[in-house]
Amino acid sequence: MPNRSRPLPRPRTGALLASAALLLSAGTLGAAAPAHAAGASRVTAAVLPLDGGAARPTVYGDDVPYDTASIIKVDILATVLLRAQDAGRPLTAQERAWAEPMIRHSDNASANALWREIGEAPGLAAANERLGLTATQGGPGARWGLTRTTASDQIRLLSAVFGTDGATPLDAASRSYIRTLMNSVAPEQAWGVSAAGTETVAALKNGWLRRDASGLWDVNSVGRITVDGHRYLVAVLSDGNSSMDEGVSLVQRTARAAVASATAGR
């Protein structure tokens, strides 16, 4: 699924759109800043309307790889479900016992178990080829949180989850299961791209990771939101944040600005 880069939307009337134009300026979402320079957090957003037949997302900023942190857990679950479909069976009770806390509470022990079950990075890569992801590389060994991905690839994954029969290798039951879990994340994790919605209907998965070498934070959020009755897939990836709180704030501001720009022409 190709994408259209849009580093700077044209300013439009209204305070929200003015804010969006400022945030989406080249200094914030345009050319990538030097990796982890002082005060140089990076962020990229991608937005795809689900209503209206758009075939590709609009990407704000450079569509370069970021660490996934825990957003990879959606991809892990999609891989588990594809493997179960191939075997002609539902998830086992144990797989469900791992999948549900992995998505709802971002439980790492559950992710570890399912990562091993799918065969780590090679198993993820085999599933992603079927899911249409082209720029995602599984983390080394047991380190699933260091998987690298792009905002547009995350939209491809979300499209596979929120798509329809014939448009995704995930069957209706598998898609419904992932959606149900993403719609019921723990309240303390209900931040991120959902901040850009105007209605309470949202399905999301967030990820955060403090890098040992730099002490800086990767903070990401992906999901489906609803704005004035219209549904959007949104992915926001960031790194180089001085704290998790800073990263959450950046992700939410960026999501609001990108969605405001995407909805301005409706």
Side-chain angles (χ1 to χ4, degrees):
M1 185 186 298
N3 66 78
R4 295 169 290 152
S5 294
R6 188 179 295 179
L8 179 59
R10 292 183 178 274
R12 296 179 173 87
T13 59
L16 181 59
L17 293 177
S19 174
L22 177 62
L23 180 59
L24 297 174
S25 67
T28 305
L29 280 180
H36 298 160
S41 299
R42 297 189 310 165
V43 64
T44 302
V47 180
L48 178 68
L50 282 178
D51 307 319
R56 56 186 183 178
T58 299
V59 176
Y60 300 92
D62 288 342
D63 199 22
V64 295
Y66 291 79
D67 299 329
T68 58
S70 284
I71 62 170
I72 191 58
K73 291 169 181 174
V74 176
D75 204 357
I76 293 173
L77 180 53
T79 302
V80 171
L81 287 162
L82 279 177
R83 289 164 62 92
Q85 286 178 205
D86 292 345
R89 63 169 180 83
L91 295 188
T92 66
Q94 180 61 79
E95 287 169 335
R96 287 179 178 270
W98 285 325
E100 293 171 17
M102 180 178 72
I103 301 298
R104 288 178 169 149
H105 298 279
S106 206
D107 183 71
N108 290 337
S110 297
N112 291 341
L114 290 175
W115 181 248
R116 290 191 296 269
E117 179 175 308
I118 67 173
E120 299 181 342
L124 187 82
N128 283 346
E129 183 174 0
R130 297 166 64 184
L131 292 165
L133 279 65
T134 60
T136 298
Q137 182 174 357
R143 304 174 74 180
W144 44 260
L146 296 185
T147 297
R148 302 280 284 172
T149 194
T150 61
S152 60
D153 242 19
Q154 287 303 297
I155 295 294
R156 293 181 182 101
L157 176 60
L158 292 171
S159 296
V161 172
F162 294 97
T164 57
D165 287 331
T168 166
L170 292 167
D171 65 23
S174 294
R175 297 195 308 274
S176 177
Y177 185 61
I178 301 175
R179 294 174 189 178
T180 296
L181 298 185
M182 292 180 70
N183 269 307
S184 56
V185 297
E188 66 271 16
Q189 296 186 19
W191 49 267
V193 297
S194 55
T198 60
E199 301 174 24
T200 58
V201 179
L204 73 156
K205 182 71 192 79
N206 299 322
W208 57 97
L209 173 66
R210 183 179 182 272
R211 298 306 306 269
D212 291 339
S214 65
L216 300 175
W217 287 78
D218 304 325
V219 180
N220 306 317
S221 183
V222 300
R224 182 195 64 188
I225 65 169
T226 304
V227 179
D228 298 329
H230 297 285
R231 300 168 302 151
Y232 297 84
L233 302 179
V234 186
V236 181
L237 310 180
S238 77
D239 63 16
N241 299 289
S242 63
S243 67
M244 181 176 170
D245 285 347
E246 178 190 88
V248 170
S249 179
L250 175 62
V251 164
Q252 293 191 157
R253 292 197 317 271
T254 302
R256 290 188 188 103
V259 172
S261 179
T263 60
R266 295 195 72 95

